[in-house]
Amino acid sequence: MTATAAPKTLHIARKLMSLLGKIQITDDAGNVLYESRARWGWLSQPWSITQDGREVAAVTRKLWSFTPIWNVSTNEENFILRGKLWSWRRQITVVGGRFDGAMLRGSLLDMDFELARHGQVIARAQAKVMTLRTRHSIDLLDTTPQAELLTAILMTNLLAQKREDNNMAAAEPTPPHLQ
């Protein structure tokens, strides 16, 4: 964490009427800092994260892996996000790159999240309740541009996972005894 910089607050929300998925990350003044869009894909949807109209990161889910894995490519480095299988709480670990070992951990109901590396908290996120769309406020404690981008990538990944979870739950047929 940078000692001289004050914590910064970001807000992440999914757009309401987006076919493939669009997520915006804004500051307190409502200025769009990052925009994430799902691109069309045959088996998985890669995500593109842009800042001021230029791509700064791409996230692609690795197919046919036992645990959930995403390959991340930024302008500066490549790394992997690895989800934990069979856990009561959502947990994503960064493997490789500058933030190797950083971990995003969620609360039991996916309302609160904490991103930390080696015991040092980088960011905390809290879900907003009573909104039409998925929305989180993020307190960025490490205000370096690299930590901000990592937080944007992880929170975008989180909202994409929640969207996939909701789509799978909606696609499951109703058991005959409940019809």
Side-chain angles (χ1 to χ4, degrees):
M1 183 172 132
T2 54
T4 58
K8 183 177 183 180
T9 302
L10 307 176
H11 305 280
I12 184 168
R14 185 188 338 261
K15 296 293 280 183
L16 278 176
M17 303 301 275
S18 177
L19 193 58
L20 288 176
K22 184 177 180 183
I23 298 169
Q24 287 185 333
I25 299 175
T26 59
D27 60 10
D28 277 333
N31 301 318
V32 176
L33 302 175
Y34 298 95
E35 198 166 69
S36 306
R37 295 175 192 248
R39 296 181 298 209
W40 191 84
W42 284 102
L43 297 175
S44 70
Q45 290 181 330
W47 282 82
S48 173
I49 301 172
T50 59
Q51 183 178 36
D52 297 327
R54 60 181 170 73
E55 185 174 277
V56 292
V59 180
T60 308
R61 181 150 188 180
K62 184 177 178 183
L63 298 175
W64 319 117
S65 64
F66 189 64
T67 60
I69 295 175
W70 298 268
N71 295 315
V72 179
S73 157
T74 69
N75 295 338
E76 297 177 2
E77 61 188 355
N78 297 326
F79 54 91
I80 293 172
L81 301 178
R82 178 172 285 140
K84 188 171 183 178
L85 195 61
W86 295 310
S87 175
W88 289 103
R89 299 170 189 228
R90 199 174 302 263
Q91 184 173 314
I92 302 168
T93 304
V94 177
V95 179
R98 167 183 333 209
F99 290 98
D100 185 44
M103 188 176 300
L104 180 74
R105 287 190 178 138
S107 64
L108 193 58
L109 299 175
D110 275 352
M111 298 297 286
D112 300 317
F113 293 91
E114 183 175 271
L115 174 60
R117 179 173 181 250
H118 303 304
Q120 182 179 0
V121 178
I122 298 170
R124 287 189 178 100
Q126 185 173 29
K128 296 288 186 182
V129 291
M130 305 298 283
T131 61
L132 292 175
R133 55 191 177 162
T134 306
R135 187 175 185 83
H136 287 80
S137 287
I138 306 163
D139 293 325
L140 194 61
L141 303 175
D142 181 344
T143 57
T144 62
Q146 296 84 6
E148 183 179 291
L149 178 59
L150 177 68
T151 303
I153 291 168
L154 283 164
M155 291 305 294
T156 295
N157 185 345
L158 171 73
L159 292 186
Q161 283 183 55
K162 284 184 165 190
R163 182 175 180 236
E164 285 178 18
D165 292 349
N166 291 341
N167 289 346
M168 283 195 296
E172 290 180 6
T174 306
H177 68 281
L178 294 177
Q179 291 180 348

